[in-house]
């Protein structure tokens, strides 16, 4: 099925684009073009920002919770469409997309609608006499720059709190995943969001860079690579412009010596923590740390686990591992596999392309053994279905290895003793970590330390990221 669009969603309606530039969407399952949409250029971004600025005063001052709930209803009514479009574009298995991409946006909208029911002004007794009133006010117009791996989930980690705070938003989807953004625009129309509150400008890096420094933007929310995040941070720093950056990861999954390795018991949780979305997930524990006394057992368990996963077309309801998002990205992942082998790593399963799949950008789930933490595949983010199993001597060495990384986004600790695992989890330098599982929760702040980013999304902290404080001395 070919999807075609000729207009952009700007200022609350469908508008003719400023140029004839187009984005072609290619299926990662087949390599065939499955859709085409207008590519926004600078003039379209200008129109989007102008519409958002015009809408800001009215949106800031209205009761927004009801509008957010209508928006959630309109998105929920299209959840199957969102799941299908995302899976068709980036290779996310449809079963996973139907759980996450289909449901998370509406969940976040309702969560933040409930949060803003609380008074946005607090009265405090002043130490110098009188009363201090502290107001939380919206920052203004937000540029939300969204990646391709979880386009709706990561998009709404910005859109939902920004709209709840009273900001207006210009969304720039990634060119790999633009078709779902047009379904989002239709949901916004049906929910009767005020004109200009949400605007969508599909485009590439150049358009994103233009929005970051646009004089009409008050805040930037970005999820993507650490390299791009550094550039954005530098530009926002010069402009003194608030920015939230959710960047790369190379997280550790620490298996303690008492961990239950029964795949019947832990298989689903292990999958979500290490290989979800074909490994195209920033927080995954792709460095698996195993005690030397159980190293062979851990390697064998992960080998059996990875080899058992069904690699299939992302629209196959039984698929557990779909294709990489693009041919270029598959080449990148394969390059890391080759590097792992060249540096002495032993591939225990996978390492190539699945037999019988001549179309699409598939890579077998791959496990490396006999590597140490200095290996390239243990220090750099691969963003594919590749795990490296690293031995450690004791808990102190496990902590040292886990923290010996430029990144600090996710992680997990696996133990039959949850309290023991919790004590160790507290020692890991990371923004988030799980005990016997890893699943980001909408009520908890999500984000990283070190090269994994600045700021937090989700939870009340995610709302605060789109607000500024004003003190009134009475």
């Amino acid at each position: 099925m070919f999807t075609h669009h000729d207009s952009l969603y700007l200022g609350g309606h469908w508008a003719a684009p400023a140029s004839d530039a187009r984005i072609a969407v290619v299926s990662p399952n087949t390599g065939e073009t499955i859709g085409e949409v207008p590519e926004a250029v600078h003039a379209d971004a200008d129109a989007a920002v102008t519409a958002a600025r015009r809408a800001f005063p009215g949106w800031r001052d209205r009761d927004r919770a009801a509008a957010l709930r209508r928006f959630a209803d309109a998105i929920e009514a299209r959840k199957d469409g969102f799941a299908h479009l995302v899976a068709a574009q980036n290779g996310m298995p449809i079963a996973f997309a139907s759980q996450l991409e289909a449901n998370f946006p509406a969940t976040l909208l309702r969560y933040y609608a409930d949060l803003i029911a609380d008074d946005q002004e607090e009265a405090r007794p002043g130490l110098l006499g009188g009363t201090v009133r502290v107001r939380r006010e919206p920052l203004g117009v937000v540029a939300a720059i969204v990646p391709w791996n979880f386009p709706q989930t990561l998009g709404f980690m910005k859109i939902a709190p920004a709209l709840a705070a009273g900001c207006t938003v210009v969304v720039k989807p990634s060119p790999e995943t633009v078709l779902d953004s047009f379904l989002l625009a239709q949901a916004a129309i049906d929910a009767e969001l005020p004109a200009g509150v949400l605007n969508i400008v599909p485009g590439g890096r150049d358009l994103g860079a233009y929005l970051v420094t646009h004089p009409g933007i008050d805040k930037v929310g970005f999820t993507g690579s650490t390299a791009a995040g550094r550039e954005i941070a530098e530009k926002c720093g010069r402009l003194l412009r608030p920015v939230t950056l959710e960047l790369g990861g190379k997280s550790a999954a620490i298996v303690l010596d008492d961990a239950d390795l029964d795949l019947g018991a832990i298989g689903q949780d292990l999958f979500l923590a290490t290989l979800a979305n074909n490994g195209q997930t920033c927080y995954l524990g792709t460095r698996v740390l195993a005690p030397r006394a159980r190293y062979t057992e851990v390697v064998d368990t992960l080998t059996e686990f990875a080899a058992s996963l069904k690699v299939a077309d992302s629209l196959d309801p039984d698929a557990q591992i779909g294709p990489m998002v693009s041919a270029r990205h598959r080449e990148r992942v394969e390059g890391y596999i080759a590097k792992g082998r060249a540096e002495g790593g032993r591939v225990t399963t996978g390492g190539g392309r699945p037999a019988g799949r001549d179309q699409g950008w598939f890579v077998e789930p791959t496990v490396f053994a006999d590597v140490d933490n200095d290996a390239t595949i243990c220090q750099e983010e691969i963003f594919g279905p590749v795990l490296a199993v690293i031995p450690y001597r004791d808990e102190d060495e496990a902590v040292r290895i886990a923290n010996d990384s430029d990144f600090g986004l996710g992680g997990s600790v696996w133990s039959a003793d949850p309290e023991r695992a919790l004590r160790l989890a507290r020692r890991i330098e990371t923004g988030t970590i799980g005990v016997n599982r890893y699943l980001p929760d909408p009520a908890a702040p999500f984000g990283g330390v070190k090269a994994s980013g600045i700021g937090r999304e989700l939870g009340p902290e995610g709302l605060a990221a789109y607000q500024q404080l004003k003190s009134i001395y009475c």
Side-chain angles (χ1 to χ4, degrees):
M1 180 177 175
F2 189 87
T3 303
H4 180 92
H5 294 282
D6 289 320
S7 303
L8 296 173
Y9 180 63
L10 305 173
H13 62 274
W14 296 109
S19 81
D20 59 1
R22 305 286 290 176
I23 294 173
V25 180
V26 176
S27 166
N29 294 304
T30 65
E32 298 174 351
T33 301
I34 58 173
E36 188 179 272
V37 305
E39 180 177 8
V41 296
H42 291 188
D44 298 307
D46 291 340
V49 173
T50 297
R53 293 219 71 83
R54 187 182 302 118
F56 174 61
W59 180 247
R60 174 191 59 197
D61 295 335
R62 71 175 287 163
D63 177 8
R64 299 179 296 278
L68 294 183
R69 293 189 179 101
R70 288 198 309 273
F71 196 17
D73 291 343
I75 289 170
E76 194 168 61
R78 295 165 171 80
K79 63 181 183 179
D80 291 343
F82 280 114
H84 179 90
L85 286 172
V86 170
Q89 292 174 100
N90 69 4
M92 180 185 294
I94 186 69
F96 189 49
S98 297
Q99 294 173 356
L100 191 65
E101 291 286 276
N103 294 307
F104 207 68
T107 297
L108 286 183
L109 285 167
R110 293 183 180 124
Y111 171 72
Y112 284 109
D114 291 342
L115 274 190
I116 59 173
D118 295 335
D119 189 7
Q120 298 299 299
E121 185 169 297
E122 172 193 353
R124 304 175 186 173
L127 293 181
L128 303 179
T131 299
V132 177
R133 305 194 73 85
V134 180
R135 287 183 55 78
R136 294 181 289 273
E137 298 184 341
L139 281 165
V141 177
V142 172
I145 302 175
V146 182
W148 49 260
N149 58 327
F150 293 89
Q152 290 301 312
T153 296
L154 295 174
F156 271 88
M157 286 167 67
K158 299 157 185 57
I159 296 167
L163 294 182
C167 299
T168 53
V169 183
V170 177
V171 181
K172 190 207 78 67
S174 172
E176 288 85 359
T177 47
V178 292
L179 301 181
D180 51 301
S181 69
F182 286 79
L183 190 60
L184 175 61
Q186 189 58 59
I189 292 171
D190 287 358
E192 299 181 346
L193 283 189
V197 166
L198 182 70
N199 307 270
I200 302 173
V201 285
R205 292 176 64 92
D206 174 69
L207 188 67
Y210 183 71
L211 281 172
V212 165
T213 59
H214 196 289
I217 293 295
D218 299 300
K219 155 87 183 196
V220 175
F222 171 80
T223 300
S225 72
T226 295
R230 291 186 193 279
E231 294 180 15
I232 292 170
E234 182 179 352
K235 292 173 181 176
C236 288
R238 288 198 304 268
L239 293 166
L240 300 179
R241 179 166 293 169
V243 61
T244 299
L245 301 171
E246 196 268 283
L247 308 176
K250 194 68 188 177
S251 304
I254 304 172
V255 179
L256 296 184
D257 54 17
D258 64 347
D260 179 2
L261 295 182
D262 177 7
L263 289 175
I266 69 167
Q268 181 62 20
D269 287 328
L270 184 66
F271 176 76
L272 291 174
T274 59
L275 287 167
N277 195 23
N278 318 329
Q280 298 177 144
T281 306
C282 50
Y283 58 68
L284 292 178
T286 53
R287 290 184 297 148
V288 181
L289 278 52
R292 290 187 181 278
R294 299 185 69 185
Y295 184 77
T296 299
E297 182 186 2
V298 172
V299 169
D300 289 348
T301 298
L302 288 172
T303 299
E304 176 189 352
F305 172 64
S308 72
L309 298 174
K310 180 175 179 177
V311 180
D313 186 303
S314 62
L315 297 176
D316 182 336
D318 295 325
Q320 294 170 289
I321 299 290
M324 301 295 93
V325 68
S326 66
R328 182 176 65 177
H329 187 58
R330 179 172 67 172
E331 289 174 4
R332 180 179 187 274
V333 173
E334 290 177 332
Y336 274 110
I337 293 173
K339 185 75 169 177
R341 283 185 163 123
E343 292 182 356
R346 173 170 60 93
V347 173
T348 65
T349 188
R353 300 178 181 180
R357 291 207 166 270
D358 299 328
Q359 290 183 311
W361 322 127
F362 293 88
V363 174
E364 293 175 314
T366 301
V367 175
F368 274 94
D370 302 337
V371 294
D372 61 35
N373 198 53
D374 293 330
T376 301
I377 60 170
C378 298
Q379 286 295 315
E380 298 182 12
E381 185 174 39
I382 299 173
F383 225 59
V386 181
L387 304 180
V389 190
I390 304 167
Y392 69 85
R393 181 180 59 258
D394 55 25
E395 285 189 17
D396 287 341
E397 185 177 35
V399 170
R400 181 190 64 76
I401 293 171
N403 291 340
D404 182 17
S405 173
D406 291 337
F407 301 100
L409 182 58
S412 56
V413 184
W414 302 79
S415 171
D417 183 347
E419 289 301 317
R420 179 189 179 196
L422 181 59
R423 289 193 298 271
L424 191 139
R426 291 187 177 115
R427 300 172 63 189
I428 306 304
E429 297 168 357
T430 186
T432 65
I433 191 164
V435 171
N436 291 325
R437 64 173 193 148
Y438 184 93
L439 189 65
D441 192 287
F446 177 82
V449 299
K450 299 188 280 190
S452 288
I454 297 172
R456 294 293 181 267
E457 297 182 310
L458 300 180
E461 295 80 4
L463 179 64
Y466 293 94
Q467 296 172 320
Q468 55 192 347
L469 298 178
K470 177 190 288 185
S471 295
I472 305 173
Y473 311 120
C474 302

